[in-house]
Amino acid sequence: MRLSSLSLAIAVISSQGMAQAAPPLPKGLAPATNTPALPSGLSPAPKLPAGLASPNSNAPALPSGLNTSPSLPTGLTPSSSPSLPSGLGQTPTLPTGIEASENTEQSSESFTLFDQDEPFVNVSGFLDARGGIRTQNDPYEDPMSLGEVRLHLDLQKEIGPFSLKLVNDFLYDAVVDAYDINLNTGKGWIDLREANIAFSPLSFMDIKVGRQILTWGTGDLIFINDLFPKDWQAFFIGRDLEYLKAPSDALKTSFFTDYVNLDFIYTPWFDADRGITGERLSYYNPMTGSLAGQNAIINPRNPSDGEFALRLYKNIGVNELALYGYHGFWKSPMGFIPPTTETNSGQAYYPKMRSLGASIRRPFWQGIANIEMGYYDSYEKGSSSNPFVPNSEARFLIGYEQEVIKNFSIGVQYYLEWMQDYNHYVASQQQIGAQATRDEVRHLLTNRLTLMTHQQNVTWSLFTFFSPSDVDAYFRPDVSYKVNDSWTVTAGGNFFVGKNQSSFFGQFEKNNNVYGSVRFSF
């Protein structure tokens, strides 16, 4: 009965009063108008936790600190960007020579004649003070063999595809009395070493025109196919070794291919050696049969024609191969015009000469070996029977160099000169009442010893020439101390011995000298 009465009561309440009145809902969950009451907990908007009420209603107060946006750390205010670390507030500086451009394509095609970030001219050089004296008396020369101060300036400039170079020496020489400039002989207070322009008109072609230092071949202080001018006077009195190579006024053209490379050099005006003339070094005069010096200075007649030289070279594996050709004149005044001639009587000159040669250089055993040969054709008419013109010669060289132990190296060479038509040479000397002073074959041995000590700052060197056929020799000791990157101190000497004063080294026996130098490089 209780269950039936309870059910009936619920039914009556549900049918008559649900729409008019609902039991009171929890605070904040009143139903909307004309909306049946939802079961407890399913009202349209249950009360949200504090702080999560609808933004359109009056939200309860947020806990302390959550009613406003939290303060940002210093430097992160929304109104401004934080400060960047030092150096990141602007576009970084590009390396020199890589300037930024708004238009990359236009920048890559543009041509800049002068780079504003580079010096207008690259300058280097040195100041060299050098002096030397003879170790014995020479009646034909001054006691001082060397006394000079030299300022060497090397100027280089790149202008687009062109490379310009000017190397000049300004010289004070205490040994000479006159300072008249002669660019061919290097006399005077200016010695122009280089003045040239180089460029590449084609990808396989280089051109250099002007005064330049030229060299090739494999010999160490022995030159067979290197028929460019040498300064033997500077070599024998103690100037720096770089001054053994004299400049040439030439046009050099180089071609590069996958098969072979070619150097072709044209010298419009013959460039002779700066040889022994008697001004600084005494020599053997074959016309008088005795030594001479300042009492008989040689003033040779120079040819008016030019000269040509070429080299074909190729590396095949470890082998460096080369072929050489030359057409011009003997580089020393080995010819003589007899006194009976009406013009230019008694004057030395440079006879015609042409040559062919070859060389190979390659690793061998624990060092480097080289072989070089050449044939000198003295092609003036009747040269073999003319006592005043040198005969043709065949020349041969073989050499080897190796670092025996750390910082100590040794180099040896064997050199041979074979005079052609030797019997005619002897006969021609007898015709003028002279005696033959040369052998048919001249042998020469060389030895270079080099030792570096004191962390390679001190270099000890000895170069020896010895001829078993002439029985003469030449010793060239040298020690150099590199104080620092700028200062270098050098001392050395030139010593000659010989059985006969007519042999090549024997004639210089009165020119033995010692020298020293101080150099500041910049």
Side-chain angles (χ1 to χ4, degrees):
M1 281 298 293
R2 291 181 180 178
L3 292 175
S4 300
S5 300
L6 180 59
S7 301
L8 178 61
I10 292 174
V12 172
I13 293 172
S14 300
S15 60
Q16 295 182 1
M18 185 175 291
Q20 297 178 2
L25 296 173
K27 184 179 181 179
L29 293 180
T33 306
N34 298 327
T35 302
L38 295 175
S40 177
L42 296 179
S43 57
K47 182 179 179 180
L48 296 175
L52 295 180
S54 172
N56 295 326
S57 63
N58 294 326
L62 295 173
S64 176
L66 294 180
N67 57 350
T68 59
S69 299
S71 300
L72 295 174
T74 303
L76 293 180
T77 58
S79 60
S80 61
S81 300
S83 300
L84 294 175
S86 176
L88 295 180
Q90 57 185 3
T91 303
T93 304
L94 295 175
T96 302
I98 307 181
E99 296 298 333
S101 172
E102 294 182 0
N103 190 326
T104 304
E105 294 182 358
Q106 292 180 358
S107 175
S108 61
E109 296 177 357
S110 64
F111 172 74
T112 302
L113 189 60
F114 297 102
D115 192 338
Q116 300 297 327
D117 294 330
E118 292 292 334
F120 182 74
V121 177
N122 295 313
V123 182
S124 61
F126 57 81
L127 180 65
D128 187 279
R130 189 171 296 251
I133 59 172
R134 284 180 168 79
T135 59
Q136 73 290 307
N137 180 53
D138 187 338
Y140 304 108
E141 301 294 342
D142 298 327
M144 179 181 288
S145 57
L146 182 63
E148 62 186 34
V149 177
R150 181 183 299 267
L151 175 61
H152 177 93
L153 293 178
D154 187 333
L155 311 179
Q156 298 186 50
K157 177 64 180 176
E158 303 290 333
I159 302 180
F162 301 98
S163 177
L164 284 71
K165 188 170 186 178
L166 176 65
V167 181
N168 198 17
D169 284 9
F170 299 91
L171 181 69
Y172 168 75
D173 192 343
V175 176
V176 300
D177 298 326
Y179 288 92
D180 296 335
I181 297 174
N182 188 326
L183 297 181
N184 291 328
T185 62
K187 296 178 181 178
W189 60 277
I190 289 180
D191 183 10
L192 182 61
R193 303 288 295 169
E194 296 188 63
N196 57 68
I197 179 172
F199 59 98
S200 299
L202 301 171
S203 61
F204 59 88
M205 180 181 181
D206 290 345
I207 293 177
K208 180 184 286 189
V209 58
R211 175 157 286 206
Q212 52 194 292
I213 304 295
L214 298 168
T215 187
W216 57 38
T218 64
D220 185 6
L221 299 182
I222 293 180
F223 310 99
I224 295 181
N225 294 292
D226 184 346
L227 290 167
F228 305 109
K230 310 293 183 297
D231 192 338
W232 295 109
Q233 183 171 261
F235 183 64
F236 289 145
I237 64 176
R239 284 180 179 152
D240 193 85
L241 189 59
E242 68 179 288
Y243 289 96
L244 173 59
K245 303 293 180 68
S248 299
D249 298 309
L251 168 66
K252 179 183 179 182
T253 307
S254 300
F255 301 89
F256 309 97
T257 71
D258 294 334
Y259 303 100
V260 69
N261 302 316
L262 169 66
D263 288 337
F264 179 79
I265 298 171
Y266 170 59
T267 305
W269 304 281
F270 172 69
D271 285 321
D273 283 351
R274 297 177 178 181
I276 310 304
T277 62
E279 294 173 292
R280 288 180 180 266
L281 299 168
S282 56
Y283 67 97
Y284 177 75
N285 188 334
M287 304 308 298
T288 61
S290 62
L291 295 180
Q294 294 181 357
N295 62 323
I297 294 177
I298 300 174
N299 185 24
R301 184 188 70 181
N302 285 356
S304 57
D305 296 334
E307 50 189 331
F308 304 86
L310 63 86
R311 175 180 64 157
L312 287 168
Y313 61 99
K314 173 73 174 179
N315 289 352
I316 301 179
V318 297
N319 301 289
E320 300 176 8
L321 306 175
L323 297 174
Y324 309 88
Y326 173 79
H327 186 279
F329 305 86
W330 290 88
K331 305 302 288 188
S332 297
M334 302 178 67
F336 186 75
I337 301 175
T340 56
T341 304
E342 294 182 0
T343 59
N344 296 321
S345 61
Q347 187 177 22
Y349 77 105
Y350 301 88
K352 296 179 180 179
M353 191 270 286
R354 56 196 173 197
S355 71
L356 290 174
S359 70
I360 178 173
R361 188 172 185 265
R362 58 157 297 142
F364 177 75
W365 194 31
Q366 299 179 11
I368 302 293
N370 64 285
I371 298 176
E372 187 171 349
M373 60 191 70
Y375 182 79
Y376 289 12
D377 180 16
S378 186
Y379 65 96
E380 286 196 8
K381 183 177 180 180
S383 60
S384 61
S385 59
N386 187 342
F388 304 109
V389 177
N391 284 24
S392 299
E393 293 181 4
R395 301 189 176 189
F396 175 81
L397 171 70
I398 182 170
Y400 178 76
E401 59 180 329
Q402 177 188 332
E403 185 178 34
V404 181
I405 59 175
K406 185 178 180 180
N407 294 327
F408 177 66
S409 61
I410 182 172
V412 294
Q413 296 179 121
Y414 168 69
Y415 170 69
L416 178 146
E417 292 179 357
W418 179 19
M419 181 185 291
Q420 308 296 293
D421 298 317
Y422 184 73
N423 292 334
H424 289 90
Y425 161 73
V426 175
S428 65
Q429 295 299 308
Q430 293 174 349
Q431 289 178 2
I432 60 174
Q435 185 178 2
T437 57
R438 293 189 57 185
D439 294 332
E440 181 178 3
V441 179
R442 177 180 180 241
H443 306 272
L444 182 65
L445 301 172
T446 76
N447 182 22
R448 179 190 286 276
L449 303 175
T450 305
L451 173 65
M452 304 183 73
T453 62
H454 299 81
Q455 299 180 339
Q456 298 186 342
N457 289 319
V458 180
T459 302
W460 310 78
S461 174
L462 173 63
F463 200 102
T464 302
F465 297 84
F466 169 65
S467 174
S469 55
D470 289 347
V471 194
D472 62 3
Y474 167 41
F475 302 94
R476 184 181 172 87
D478 180 272
V479 57
S480 177
Y481 172 42
K482 184 179 180 182
V483 181
N484 52 41
D485 291 339
S486 299
W487 292 95
T488 304
V489 180
T490 303
N494 297 279
F495 303 100
F496 307 89
V497 294
K499 181 180 179 181
N500 302 309
Q501 63 180 12
S502 60
S503 66
F504 184 78
F505 293 122
Q507 66 179 321
F508 301 128
E509 192 171 13
K510 296 293 186 181
N511 296 293
N512 293 340
N513 62 81
V514 293
Y515 62 87
S517 73
V518 177
R519 173 175 293 193
F520 174 75
S521 302
F522 54 88

